[in-house]
Amino acid sequence: MTDTITKQLAEAGLQIPKGRRRKTELTLFSAMSEAESVKLVSDFEKLAISISRPRNSPPTGTTRTKRSSARSL
């Protein structure tokens, strides 16, 4: 698996020098950190989309509907 990741990073132009790495056990904190990383990326993507969208356009996946007036005199 490490070789696959190394190859994918190399294709993206990133290189990690090979060396001695400490192997550690996975803990609940590791899983929580990974989940938080995924959430952070998701939030960042939403923010980037909202910044790049013109101010008056509706958010993606929604449509604007014309509201009719409920009042009648």
Side-chain angles (χ1 to χ4, degrees):
M1 183 163 110
T2 304
D3 292 331
T4 306
I5 294 171
T6 305
K7 287 177 186 176
Q8 289 175 348
L9 290 172
E11 289 172 4
L14 300 171
Q15 293 183 5
I16 297 176
K18 290 189 175 187
R20 194 170 154 182
R21 290 183 171 66
R22 181 178 299 171
K23 301 210 179 218
T24 59
E25 293 181 29
L26 292 178
T27 63
L28 290 176
F29 183 75
S30 303
M32 184 181 74
S33 298
E34 289 180 21
E36 187 62 26
S37 298
V38 170
K39 179 67 177 159
L40 180 67
V41 169
S42 172
D43 290 346
F44 182 78
E45 286 176 342
K46 289 176 187 176
L47 178 63
I49 289 170
S50 70
I51 289 173
S52 66
R53 189 179 67 236
R55 285 211 178 251
N56 293 332
S57 68
T60 346
T62 62
T63 57
R64 284 192 176 178
T65 57
K66 188 174 183 178
R67 294 179 113 187
S68 61
S69 177
R71 288 192 210 175
S72 50
L73 296 174

